[in-house]
Amino acid sequence: MIAVRWGSATHPGMVRHANEDRFHAGSGIFVVADGMGGHAAGEVASQLAVDEFARLASATTNGGAALHPGAIRHALARANDAIVAAANESEARRGMGTTLVGLAVVEDVGRGRLLAFNLGDSRLYRVQAGSFEQLSVDHSQAQELVEAGVITAAERHAHPLSNVLTRALGHGPYPRADYWLIDPHPGDRFLLCSDGLSVELTDGQIHLALIAPADPDRVAADLVQLAVEAGGRDNITVVVVDVLPG
Ligand code: MN
């Protein structure tokens, strides 16, 4: 089985009173959810999503069995159903939803691998043997403009459509997540984060913080601190996962 260690940090930022980001880290399942919707509905949606993965994590730990990729798909479907049902309960929650980016230790055809999954514009990055890359693809209108060549990636965050999502959990009857099966290598470091981090810091700043020879908790705290110092215009949540020698 793949051994990992991890760290996490979250902060409401310097502008918003409430923190509508939620995360789960542990038992081989790591998720960050950034809720949206007025009247505190955003934190209801992100909490419902994270609760579903926390339940899956505790069932996996208690059962002692390896997690299969299908279990992640099912958890996403249950989380989506829970958010849609809660949204239908009250007018104030109409339209609420959440991003969700995740990384899970799974067993695929007898082999330990990592399954990454994403809906929305929270992100997954990886540092591997010194190279730094964003593995997830944002589901936002601004990202579509980047892919169409209308704006550059650097212009994305300043664009008025930057935070208009094209996919989210709780929007529609089925979650349309992207999935990636990843072969982990000892020394790989993964970062899951809400957009409160990626709007404040450049890829270069994120890369530099990630390659620090520090434990994941320290790196997570440092990243959040950097985003707060850069303005902290949104809630900031960070989970750092290190792959250990097997
Ligand atoms: Mn956000």
Side-chain angles (χ1 to χ4, degrees):
M1 214 47 196
I2 297 160
V4 293
R5 63 174 183 168
W6 63 91
S8 58
T10 188
H11 194 287
M14 302 306 286
V15 176
R16 309 215 170 161
H17 294 292
N19 191 343
E20 299 191 323
D21 289 355
R22 294 289 186 276
F23 70 93
H24 167 83
S27 303
I29 299 179
F30 307 90
V31 295
V32 168
D34 178 352
M36 70 204 85
H39 303 286
E43 63 202 60
V44 173
S46 55
Q47 187 70 52
L48 285 168
V50 164
D51 284 350
E52 199 56 57
F53 285 90
R55 261 195 294 276
L56 179 61
S58 98
T60 305
T61 304
N62 294 336
L67 197 64
H68 289 272
I72 297 295
R73 283 180 193 272
H74 288 130
L76 277 169
R78 285 194 303 272
N80 196 74
D81 288 348
I83 294 166
V84 168
N88 287 335
E89 279 171 11
S90 89
E91 191 60 40
R93 290 177 176 174
R94 186 121 330 149
M96 77 175 180
T98 185
T99 73
L100 190 102
V101 66
L103 186 70
V105 176
V106 296
E107 192 178 297
D108 178 52
V109 212
R111 217 150 50 104
R113 301 182 87 182
L114 295 171
L115 180 69
F117 43 104
N118 182 55
L119 276 149
D121 66 351
S122 295
R123 288 183 175 175
L124 175 68
Y125 296 91
R126 176 178 63 189
V127 174
Q128 182 175 67
S131 78
F132 172 77
E133 62 178 319
Q134 181 183 334
L135 297 179
S136 60
V137 179
D138 293 352
H139 299 137
S140 69
Q141 293 199 2
Q143 176 65 25
E144 293 187 350
L145 292 178
V146 171
E147 283 165 19
V150 178
I151 60 172
T152 67
E155 289 165 342
R156 179 172 40 200
H157 289 312
H159 197 277
L161 294 178
S162 64
N163 54 7
V164 179
L165 298 187
T166 52
R167 298 194 218 172
L169 208 52
H171 291 174
Y174 307 106
R176 293 189 302 131
D178 290 333
Y179 296 93
W180 299 265
L181 266 171
I182 298 167
D183 285 318
H185 301 282
D188 287 357
R189 173 168 275 176
F190 292 88
L191 166 68
L192 298 88
C193 67
S194 59
D195 68 336
L197 185 84
S198 53
V199 297
E200 300 297 357
L201 304 183
T202 63
D203 279 3
Q205 288 174 299
I206 294 172
H207 184 189
L208 202 60
L210 283 177
I211 58 174
D215 66 58
D217 256 327
R218 177 79 257 157
V219 171
D222 287 348
L223 277 165
V224 165
Q225 184 59 31
L226 284 171
V228 168
E229 286 166 5
R233 287 165 286 179
D234 192 5
N235 307 147
I236 307 147
T237 301
V238 166
V239 176
V240 176
V241 182
D242 285 354
V243 178
L244 300 174

